Amino acid sequence: MANDIDRQRNIAFVGPHHAGKTTLVEAVLAQCGAISRRGSIADGTTVTDHEPEDVSHAQSTTVGFAHCGCGPIDVTIVDCPGFIDFFEETKLVLAGVDAAVIVVDADPSRASHTQTLVDYLETRKTPHCFVINKMDRPGADFEGTLEALQALYGRHVVAEQWPIVDKSKANDKSSGFAGYVDLADMQAHAFSGDGETGSAVPGEILDRVKSAHTELLEAMADFDDHLMEELLEGVEPPYDEVARDLCDECAHDQIVPVLVASAATGAGLGALVRAMEKWFPSPAQAQQVDAEGRTIPPDPGGPVVARVIKTMIHPQSGKLSVVRVLSGTIKSDATLTDISANDEKVRSGGLYRLQGKKQEAITEAGPGSIVAIARLEPVKTGDTLTSNGHKVLLPRVPLSEPCFAMAIKPKERIDEAKIFQMLARIVDEDPALRLARADITNEFLLLGSGEQHVTIAVERLARKYKVEVDMAAPQIPYQETITSGTELHSRYKHQTGGHGQFGDVWLRFEPRERGNGVTFDEKIVGGVVPRQFIPAVEKGVREALMHGPSGYPVTDIHVTLYDGQYHDVDSSEQSFKTAAGMGVRDALPKCHPVVLEPVSRVTVTVPTAYTSTVIQQLTGKRGQILGMNPADRTGFDVVEADVPQVELSRYITELRTATQGLGTYSARHERYDPVPGNRVGPKAAV
Ligand SMILES: Nc1nc2c(ncn2[C@@H]2O[C@H](COP(=O)(O)OP(=O)(O)OP(=O)(O)O)[C@@H](O)[C@H]2O)c(=O)[nH]1
Ligand SMILES: [Mg+2]
């Protein structure tokens, strides 16, 4: 009899936005009896879309966990959000599963939306299959979608099922999806009620199904010499051999079978559940390695090695860290070592299995389990936990740099430290978010993978911690400089009964090379400005330079104090500082000031088909194209350009719209350039 670990499967449901992952997970849970009634996206009642933000947006906004016993196997399912903004979180949980089901629409035009994901799975060698979903929809195009996937990924992506469509039952609400042919054993199955019955392969698809059967065998034969020999000799391989090869080749990420389903009607679920059992590896078969490439055997009696794949924080009940146990057995109330945090000792609270928002208490979790542990306060997503100080570090999942930022400000006066603390908890739950303080403008920034990512984080902040914030596009840190020099005399003289005030300075203003900032110098001879007042002159100059004629800080300027006068009684630091400030304010308008804007060096990675679109888009943003080269990733180009920062505030959204979500970019500050025609309004008063 199989032991526990052999019965386990850890599977992520992934795929493009709205392809039907959450609906399919719900259908699988119902099919396997884990829930008595299927919830729906429309009613906001599914198990895995349980966060209020999932419900209000009618989409997954974070990963959801569920589990069910499916016949002989016990499956933990991770339902991943499809919207591209949440891909970083998907990457973190993919490090904790052994296989992935990629759900796609039965629509060839959407096949390319899987590219980033498939590249990622293939790099990690994660076994996966495709499920072409929404087969019930009128116009569902199985064959077109299959061809589009094969065009993108090759012939190892191969149909294992062929849909049977009963055209007499097709209408404006249904495609007439009536069953499927299993291309491994060539048996036809008709959907009936909640199940399936055996049927004959309809005559009109018989030829196509036969050739699809051959294509499946040929794809498998590429990885199996014996099967190849049989095909070359014209021998039909026995079904047992085909089934065995299919399991083996899928589990090793050689073959990627394609299945059909309708999550909405439940059609095709039985076959999907059987596929998860047969084709996907158990945790015992899926090899796990540490950061140095050493294998970690799944030994229930060995030291604990676990990876934190998700952090959840409930304002009332506290923190839950979802971990994938690789080895050893975790018990509740045990001491663990956080190897990623300088071997800090942490005491675990209760252990739970998650069924959506429900937490089911358990006493221990062995290798292969995905479980939530309460109250591991200092522990972060991605960390490695071990027992007894066992020194093993798991490889980190590299996250992409955030490419979208919003400036945030509390709506009501609230202690800044407090809001920072609460935002830090939101970031703890989602490490793809980042908090920062902007240079120059000093604004508080929340950065993420896109507009929706940041907006939803702010909604969560309001719901969980009752902190409402205003969001705005970050201010552009414009600066000013001068393009010609001048010399100027400034005197501050004030008589108010007793002590007067007297400061008198001659200042010279000269432009400096770009990027050299503000410098101050003095050439006073004969003590015409006494030594003790010179620092006050510099202070007055520097303070006045904080606000140029257009209100922005002035840079790349050299100011020299070269003459002046003083009064024995009335001169003071303050009077010299005031005289200097007045001098700066009078001089700058005479020096042909210009506003400078920050320019970013942008690196865009994009499928070759979109390269010219991207170049056009960047040029339209006043971008200066620096070069275009093939990327390391096959079929992609890298375009480099210098683009004014003001043009980039929503660039990630525009880039994704123009490239079917496939374009990515990074940007770093490069330099300041004069704004053409000085076309920037004066800085708004703050
Ligand atoms: N007709 C039909 N509609 C479906 C099917 N599966 C899902 N839908 C609908 O498609 C929409 C999106 O479904 P979801 O299950 O939320 O899709 P998802 O892939 O989880 O979406 P994200 O998590 O936001 O990426 C919902 O309105 C579902 O009711 C299907 O098989 N047939
Ligand atoms: Mg979903």
Side-chain angles (χ1 to χ4, degrees):
M1 166 149 165
N3 67 30
D4 272 347
I5 192 163
D6 296 323
R7 294 186 41 206
Q8 288 180 50
R9 299 289 182 277
N10 294 311
I11 300 172
F13 277 53
V14 288
H17 187 35
H18 269 177
K21 301 171 289 295
T22 302
T23 310
L24 194 59
V25 170
E26 191 76 7
V28 168
L29 295 178
Q31 164 98 6
C32 297
I35 51 175
S36 52
R37 211 167 145 261
R38 284 177 61 163
S40 76
I41 301 293
D43 299 341
T45 49
T46 60
V47 171
T48 49
D49 273 4
H50 59 82
E51 290 263 305
E53 291 74 28
D54 300 336
V55 176
S56 62
H57 289 265
Q59 69 171 64
S60 308
T61 61
T62 181
V63 291
F65 295 87
H67 65 91
C68 56
C70 296
I73 56 166
D74 191 6
V75 189
T76 297
I77 296 179
V78 190
D79 175 20
C80 298
F83 198 75
I84 189 77
D85 281 24
F86 305 107
F87 185 56
E88 300 304 307
E89 186 166 77
T90 297
K91 278 159 61 176
L92 289 163
V93 292
L94 282 174
V97 299
D98 304 307
V101 170
I102 307 179
V103 184
V104 292
D105 291 273
D107 175 355
S109 71
R110 290 183 47 83
S112 65
H113 292 241
T114 56
Q115 255 172 290
T116 306
L117 171 71
V118 171
D119 275 6
Y120 189 75
L121 292 173
E122 291 196 342
T123 314
R124 295 182 55 85
K125 299 224 161 303
T126 305
H128 54 286
C129 71
F130 282 99
V131 173
I132 297 185
N133 187 36
K134 302 193 184 177
M135 282 299 301
D136 57 292
R137 281 193 159 179
D141 182 357
F142 167 77
E143 204 165 350
T145 308
L146 175 68
E147 279 169 13
L149 293 173
Q150 289 179 326
L152 287 167
Y153 310 120
R155 297 270 147 191
H156 69 292
V157 174
V158 63
E160 202 278 335
Q161 293 179 345
W162 202 268
I164 299 173
V165 175
D166 182 348
K167 294 218 172 78
S168 70
K169 297 214 174 106
N171 53 41
D172 59 352
K173 293 211 169 63
S174 165
S175 63
F177 180 41
Y180 66 93
V181 180
D182 184 324
L183 296 174
D185 63 7
M186 292 297 275
Q187 297 296 309
H189 304 258
F191 303 128
S192 64
D194 278 347
E196 296 170 3
T197 51
S199 72
V201 178
E204 70 268 19
I205 59 168
L206 192 55
D207 286 346
R208 184 63 191 96
V209 162
K210 279 184 182 160
S211 64
H213 171 70
T214 310
E215 283 158 27
L216 173 66
L217 297 184
E218 284 174 354
M220 293 194 324
D222 283 344
F223 306 96
D224 183 320
D225 293 343
H226 183 249
L227 187 57
M228 180 63 87
E229 275 166 31
E230 284 174 327
L231 294 187
L232 290 174
E233 286 160 17
V235 176
E236 177 66 28
Y239 172 67
D240 283 357
E241 183 191 344
V242 175
R244 202 176 47 243
D245 276 7
L246 200 50
C247 296
D248 196 47
E249 294 182 11
C250 183
H252 288 93
D253 192 31
Q254 292 166 321
I255 282 288
V256 179
V258 179
L259 304 177
V260 288
S262 161
T265 64
L269 290 181
L272 173 61
V273 168
R274 287 192 293 279
M276 295 197 294
E277 176 207 336
K278 287 187 292 182
W279 300 343
F280 288 157
S282 77
Q285 295 159 313
Q287 204 198 21
Q288 300 285 351
V289 292
D290 70 8
E292 264 131 55
R294 289 177 299 220
T295 302
I296 302 170
D299 175 6
V304 168
V305 181
R307 173 197 286 281
V308 182
I309 57 172
K310 170 75 188 158
T311 302
M312 302 169 179
I313 300 174
H314 296 265
Q316 285 82 32
S317 57
K319 185 164 177 172
L320 273 187
S321 304
V322 182
V323 306
R324 161 69 191 263
V325 185
L326 284 90
S327 182
T329 300
I330 299 187
K331 301 205 159 80
S332 48
D333 292 317
T335 300
L336 296 167
T337 308
D338 188 342
I339 300 291
S340 315
N342 292 325
D343 298 354
E344 188 169 350
K345 294 267 184 286
V346 285
R347 182 122 196 114
S348 68
L351 273 189
Y352 304 95
R353 280 196 95 177
L354 298 178
Q355 190 68 293
K357 66 180 163 199
K358 275 198 223 141
Q359 300 168 13
E360 300 162 3
I362 52 173
T363 52
E364 60 174 41
S369 320
I370 292 182
V371 290
I373 310 179
R375 293 197 301 280
L376 295 178
E377 293 310 332
V379 169
K380 299 212 173 310
T381 305
D383 284 2
T384 305
L385 302 176
T386 68
S387 59
N388 308 326
H390 185 56
K391 279 278 185 194
V392 169
L393 187 63
L394 297 170
R396 279 253 166 217
V397 175
L399 296 184
S400 305
E401 281 299 304
C403 51
F404 183 82
M406 276 290 200
I408 53 174
K409 215 160 68 188
K411 272 200 197 334
E412 290 173 10
R413 281 200 148 274
I414 166 176
D415 186 356
E416 273 218 348
K418 196 170 160 205
I419 183 174
F420 196 85
Q421 211 179 22
M422 286 161 181
L423 271 167
R425 283 195 227 169
I426 298 281
V427 176
D428 221 4
E429 287 191 88
D430 181 352
L433 290 165
R434 193 145 329 143
L435 288 172
R437 181 71 88 173
D439 291 342
I440 301 177
T441 63
N442 215 23
E443 284 182 307
F444 208 18
L445 302 180
L446 181 59
L447 298 103
S449 310
E451 204 162 342
Q452 199 171 112
H453 190 204
V454 172
T455 313
I456 286 177
V458 164
E459 284 175 26
R460 257 191 198 121
L461 181 74
R463 169 176 63 86
K464 287 190 165 181
Y465 304 109
K466 313 280 175 267
V467 177
E468 303 262 353
V469 298
D470 281 324
M471 280 198 293
Q475 286 175 36
I476 302 300
Y478 291 110
Q479 298 191 54
E480 297 184 48
T481 193
I482 54 171
T483 55
S484 65
T486 194
E487 292 181 348
L488 185 128
H489 176 219
S490 173
R491 170 175 289 186
Y492 178 57
K493 190 174 171 195
H494 203 62
Q495 208 65 46
T496 48
H499 242 271
Q501 297 202 44
F502 183 90
D504 183 296
V505 291
W506 282 86
L507 298 171
R508 184 179 305 125
F509 296 83
E510 294 160 277
R512 298 196 69 197
E513 290 262 303
R514 193 88 60 246
N516 283 326
V518 175
T519 44
F520 175 84
D521 199 6
E522 53 90 9
K523 298 254 182 315
I524 295 297
V525 284
V528 290
V529 175
R531 288 279 119 203
Q532 72 268 28
F533 297 140
I534 292 178
V537 173
E538 177 169 1
K539 199 162 176 211
V541 166
R542 287 192 184 273
E543 274 183 16
L545 288 176
M546 298 297 289
H547 303 280
S550 295
Y552 303 109
V554 181
T555 188
D556 304 338
I557 184 168
H558 182 63
V559 183
T560 313
L561 167 69
Y562 66 94
D563 203 354
Q565 280 183 45
Y566 74 100
H567 186 278
D568 279 342
V569 179
D570 290 348
S571 283
S572 64
E573 286 185 3
Q574 187 54 45
S575 46
F576 269 99
K577 186 176 162 214
T578 308
M582 284 163 46
V584 170
R585 280 187 289 278
D586 287 347
L588 291 178
K590 299 187 172 78
C591 298
H592 302 100
V594 290
V595 177
L596 296 174
E597 62 178 345
V599 174
S600 302
R601 173 73 44 96
V602 174
T603 309
V604 186
T605 307
V606 69
T608 313
Y610 298 110
T611 305
S612 61
T613 311
V614 163
I615 289 176
Q616 257 176 26
Q617 210 177 33
L618 291 171
T619 313
K621 293 184 169 300
R622 298 189 282 130
Q624 182 192 343
I625 307 295
L626 303 173
M628 185 207 89
N629 291 298
D632 292 341
R633 189 172 165 186
T634 323
F636 280 68
D637 282 336
V638 175
V639 180
E640 257 205 328
D642 284 349
V643 186
Q645 187 183 324
V646 65
E647 303 283 347
L648 293 172
S649 63
R650 297 192 69 245
Y651 181 50
I652 188 64
T653 313
E654 295 161 14
L655 177 65
R656 286 178 182 153
T657 308
T659 61
Q660 297 212 358
L662 296 170
T664 55
Y665 89 99
S666 62
R668 63 175 164 76
H669 175 72
E670 178 65 15
R671 61 172 187 274
Y672 270 88
D673 277 353
V675 175
N678 241 2
R679 266 190 320 236
V680 175
K683 187 180 177 191
V686 278

